[in-house]
Amino acid sequence: MNITMLYSKLHRATVTDANLNYVGSITIDQDLMDAASMRVGQKIDIVNINNGERFSTYIISGERGKGDICLNGAAARKVHKGDKIIIIAYASMSEEEADAHEPKIVILEDDNTIAEAFTGLE
């Protein structure tokens, strides 16, 4: 049996743009993707702290070091520039893998620089 577990998250990211006229997804600064071990094309959930919206999309890579967090396509209607969001990645793993897994947590500053990064939930 496989269990879907929290793989990693970017916590309190600030939306830098919302582009309705782009084919859907979220653009994330590649440095932030690396810090959270996220991949291009990976399915993720987004939780908007400002308005309670929760939705799924997939990742595309943004330019390194710019701090971009841009919602594209229909997802752009669920956020506003400046909103705080949580970007959550999951992974399917065996029970044994799940017992040993420690998710990567990356907490961001208002400018999307890394304030803290750690593994585990405790």
Side-chain angles (χ1 to χ4, degrees), residues 85-99:
I85 62 173
I86 304 169
I87 303 167
I88 307 166
Y90 302 95
S92 180
M93 48 188 84
S94 69
E95 291 182 32
E96 295 77 23
E97 290 170 319
D99 288 343

Side-chain angles (χ1 to χ4, degrees), residues 58-92:
Y58 62 92
I59 299 170
I60 61 174
S61 178
E63 188 175 334
R64 288 186 182 278
K66 289 191 70 181
D68 288 341
I69 301 288
C70 178
L71 278 297
N72 303 304
R77 293 204 184 270
K78 297 189 173 281
V79 300
H80 294 290
K81 188 175 178 179
D83 281 358
K84 292 290 187 186
I85 62 173
I86 304 169
I87 303 167
I88 307 166
Y90 302 95
S92 180

Side-chain angles (χ1 to χ4, degrees), residues 97-114:
E97 290 170 319
D99 288 343
H101 177 66
E102 292 191 357
K104 289 188 177 182
I105 311 298
V106 180
I107 300 172
L108 302 179
E109 300 284 0
D110 289 341
D111 64 356
N112 290 332
T113 56
I114 296 172

Side-chain angles (χ1 to χ4, degrees), residues 14-102:
T14 302
V15 174
T16 58
D17 200 7
N19 185 349
L20 185 61
N21 296 313
Y22 188 88
V23 177
S25 59
I26 182 172
T27 303
I28 302 174
D29 178 312
Q30 184 64 54
D31 287 340
L32 299 178
M33 289 174 52
D34 292 348
S37 296
M38 293 179 178
R39 294 169 169 75
V40 170
Q42 184 173 14
K43 180 182 177 183
I44 48 94
D45 283 347
I46 297 173
V47 180
N48 188 325
I49 295 168
N50 292 78
N51 65 19
E53 288 279 359
R54 185 178 189 117
F55 54 97
S56 298
T57 190
Y58 62 92
I59 299 170
I60 61 174
S61 178
E63 188 175 334
R64 288 186 182 278
K66 289 191 70 181
D68 288 341
I69 301 288
C70 178
L71 278 297
N72 303 304
R77 293 204 184 270
K78 297 189 173 281
V79 300
H80 294 290
K81 188 175 178 179
D83 281 358
K84 292 290 187 186
I85 62 173
I86 304 169
I87 303 167
I88 307 166
Y90 302 95
S92 180
M93 48 188 84
S94 69
E95 291 182 32
E96 295 77 23
E97 290 170 319
D99 288 343
H101 177 66
E102 292 191 357

